[in-house]
C-alpha cells in the first residue's frame, strides 16, 4: 500500500531584512551558538565535507563555493551554503560576496527553508573571530590596541562583534590598500560612537607593529605580508582571510585553526607552510582544543587563529534564524512548493 503523507512539507523563504532583524542586537547570544556548534563539531556530531570551489577560466579572481554540512545534537539540521566571491563587484558598489543557505530536514531530507546568507555568513565569521579572541585570552590580558587590516563587510562585522561582546580598545588602527576605503571605515567607527583613538596608517608594517590584536579581513589570494620581524611584539592575529601571511610568519607563530583538514588546503597560508615543511607540526591545535583547555598557548610567540570557515557554523546560525523567524511570524512560506508528493499520481 502506498505510504500516505499526513502533511506536505513546508518550504519558506527568509530574506535579508528578516535575517538582519533576527540577528541584530544579540552578539553574545550568537557567539554562544557558534561556540556550541564548535563543540558539537569537535565531539563528532557533525559531517563537514570539503568545500567545493567553482572557478571560471575567464574570471580567475572570482569563485562560487559550496559548503555542504550536517549538524546534529541540539541543532538537528542538514544543508548547504552557496556563496559567491566576485571582487570586481566592489568597484561597482556591490559587496564582494552574495550567498544563499538551504536547510534540509534531518529526518526526511526535504529542504524546508532558503535564507539570504551573506549576513549569516558574515555573522558566523565575526562570531567565530570574537569567540576565538575571547578564548585565546582566557588566561592572559586582553589587548587594548587593535588593527583592522582590510576594511570591507567582514571587518565591519568583526568590529561589531568584538564591541558587542565587551572588548574595549584605547586605539584602533586601520590599514587598507585603498585609502578611500580605510578612511570610510574610520568614519563609520566614529559614527558608531566608538571612543577609541582611530588612526588610518599608510603602511602595512606600521599597521601590524602598532597593535596587540590584528584582524586580517582582506581579499588577498596570496601572501603579501612577508616579514616575520613585524610580529616581534607577539600579537594575537585573527587571520580571517587566510592568505595574507607568508609561511615563514606562520612557522614562527603558535597556530590555532578551526579544523586542520579544512584549513590546510586551497593554498591558505597554513597550507603553504605545510607544503614548505612537509608536515603539520606547526599547528598547535583547534579552537575546540582551546575551548576544552587542551591547547598550550605560549606568550613568547605570535598567536594566530586561522579559520577556514565551517559549513556547520552556517547551519547553526541559519537554523537559529529560521526558528526565531518562524516563532515571530517572519518566515514567508511558499504555497505548494512541493507539488507532486504522491508516488503514483
Amino acid at each position: 500500500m502506498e505510504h500516505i503523507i499526513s502533511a506536505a512539507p513546508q518550504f519558506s523563504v527568509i530574506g535579508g531584512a528578516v535575517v538582519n532583524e533576527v540577528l541584530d542586537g544579540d552578539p553574545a547570544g550568537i557567539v554562544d551558538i557558534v561556540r556550541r556548534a564548535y563543540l558539537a563539531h569537535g565531539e563528532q556530531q557533525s559531517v563537514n565535507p570539503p568545500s567545493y570551489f567553482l572557478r571560471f577560466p575567464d574570471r580567475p579572481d572570482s569563485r562560487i563555493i559550496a559548503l555542504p554540512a550536517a549538524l546534529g545534537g541540539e541543532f538537528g539540521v542538514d544543508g548547504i551554503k552557496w556563496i559567491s566571491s566576485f571582487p570586481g563587484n566592489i568597484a561597482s558598489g556591490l559587496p564582494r560576496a552574495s550567498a544563499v543557505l538551504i536547510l534540509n530536514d534531518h529526518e526526511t531530507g526535504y529542504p524546508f527553508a532558503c535564507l539570504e546568507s551573506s549576513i549569516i555568513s558574515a555573522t558566523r565569521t565575526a562570531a567565530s573571530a570574537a569567540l576565538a579572541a575571547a578564548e585565546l585570552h582566557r588566561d592572559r590580558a586582553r589587548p587594548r590596541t587593535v588593527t583592522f587590516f582590510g576594511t570591507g563587510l567582514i571587518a565591519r562585522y568583526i568590529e561589531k562583534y568584538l564591541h558587542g561582546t565587551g572588548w574595549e580598545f584605547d586605539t584602533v588602527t586601520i590599514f587598507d590598500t585603498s585609502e578611500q576605503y580605510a578612511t570610510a571605515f574610520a568614519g563609520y567607527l566614529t559614527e558608531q560612537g566608538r571612543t577609541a583613538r582611530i588612526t588610518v596608517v599608510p603602511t602595512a608594517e606600521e599597521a601590524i607593529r602598532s597593535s596587540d590584536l590584528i584582524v586580517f579581513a582582506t581579499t588577498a589570494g596570496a601572501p603579501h605580508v612577508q616579514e616575520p620581524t613585524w610580529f616581534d611584539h607577539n600579537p594575537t592575529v585573527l587571520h580571517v582571510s587566510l592568505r595574507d601571511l607568508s609561511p615563514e610568519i606562520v612557522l614562527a607563530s603558535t597556530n590555532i585553526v578551526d579544523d586542520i583538514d579544512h584549513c590546510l588546503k586551497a593554498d591558505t597560508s597554513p597550507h603553504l607552510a605545510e607544503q614548505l615543511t612537509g608536515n603539520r607540526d606547526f599547528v598547535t591545535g583547534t579552537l575546540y582544543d582551546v575551548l576544552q583547555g587542551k591547547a598550550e598557548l605560549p606568550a613568547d610567540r605570535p598567536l594566530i587563529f586561522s579559520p577556514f570557515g565551517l559549513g556547520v557554523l552556517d547551519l547553526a546560525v541559519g537554523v537559529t534564524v529560521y526558528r526565531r523567524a518562524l516563532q515571530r511570524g517572519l518566515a514567508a512560506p511558499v504555497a505548494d512548493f512541493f507539488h507532486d508528493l504522491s508516488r503514483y499520481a
Side-chain angles (χ1 to χ4, degrees), residues 63-81:
R63 63 186 186 270
I64 308 180
I65 312 170
L67 288 82
L71 184 58
E74 65 181 281
F75 299 99
V77 65
D78 310 330
I80 187 168
K81 179 173 74 172

Side-chain angles (χ1 to χ4, degrees), residues 251 264-265 269-280 282:
L251 294 173
L264 273 65
K265 66 178 182 181
S269 295
H271 187 208
L272 295 179
E274 179 188 28
Q275 294 175 47
L276 184 64
T277 62
N279 63 64
R280 298 178 170 186
F282 59 89

Side-chain angles (χ1 to χ4, degrees), residues 203-338:
T203 68
E205 179 178 2
E206 184 176 355
I208 292 167
R209 289 187 182 274
S210 65
S211 296
D212 293 320
L213 178 65
I214 303 166
V215 179
F216 281 96
T218 75
T219 59
H224 54 96
V225 177
Q226 304 285 345
E227 183 50 65
T229 61
W230 293 0
F231 298 82
D232 281 348
H233 57 303
N234 300 327
T236 299
V237 180
L238 303 179
H239 188 206
V240 176
S241 38
L242 282 177
R243 295 173 176 84
D244 304 274
L245 306 178
S246 71
E248 290 76 14
I249 294 171
V250 171
L251 294 173
S253 305
T254 298
N255 291 280
I256 300 296
V257 301
D258 54 356
D259 183 286
I260 294 174
D261 289 334
H262 282 77
C263 190
L264 273 65
K265 66 178 182 181
D267 289 335
T268 64
S269 295
H271 187 208
L272 295 179
E274 179 188 28
Q275 294 175 47
L276 184 64
T277 62
N279 63 64
R280 298 178 170 186
D281 295 345
F282 59 89
V283 178
T284 299
T286 66
L287 184 54
Y288 173 78
D289 296 326
V290 175
L291 289 168
Q292 297 293 86
K294 297 177 181 179
E296 293 187 15
L297 306 175
D300 60 350
R301 312 181 85 203
L303 177 56
I304 301 175
F305 174 58
S306 297
F308 192 81
L310 301 176
V312 293
L313 302 185
D314 296 286
L315 292 185
V317 175
V319 77
T320 299
V321 170
Y322 171 78
R323 289 168 179 169
R324 292 180 179 180
L326 206 62
Q327 289 172 353
R328 293 160 61 175
L330 298 175
V334 180
D336 299 321
F337 184 83
F338 300 105

Side-chain angles (χ1 to χ4, degrees), residues 80-151:
I80 187 168
K81 179 173 74 172
W82 182 239
I83 181 167
S84 67
S85 174
F86 280 55
N89 288 348
I90 297 173
S92 61
L94 281 174
R96 170 186 60 85
S98 58
V100 294
L101 176 68
I102 300 294
L103 301 179
N104 293 73
D105 180 73
H106 202 61
E107 298 299 326
T108 68
Y110 268 80
F112 60 84
C114 175
L115 299 87
E116 195 286 329
S117 198
S118 66
I119 295 171
I120 291 172
S121 188
T123 295
R124 64 84 151 148
T125 299
S128 170
L131 174 66
E135 291 297 324
L136 293 174
H137 293 90
R138 187 194 306 164
D139 299 319
R140 62 175 77 181
R142 287 189 171 188
R144 301 285 302 186
T145 54
V146 63
T147 285
F148 289 92
F149 201 117
T151 57

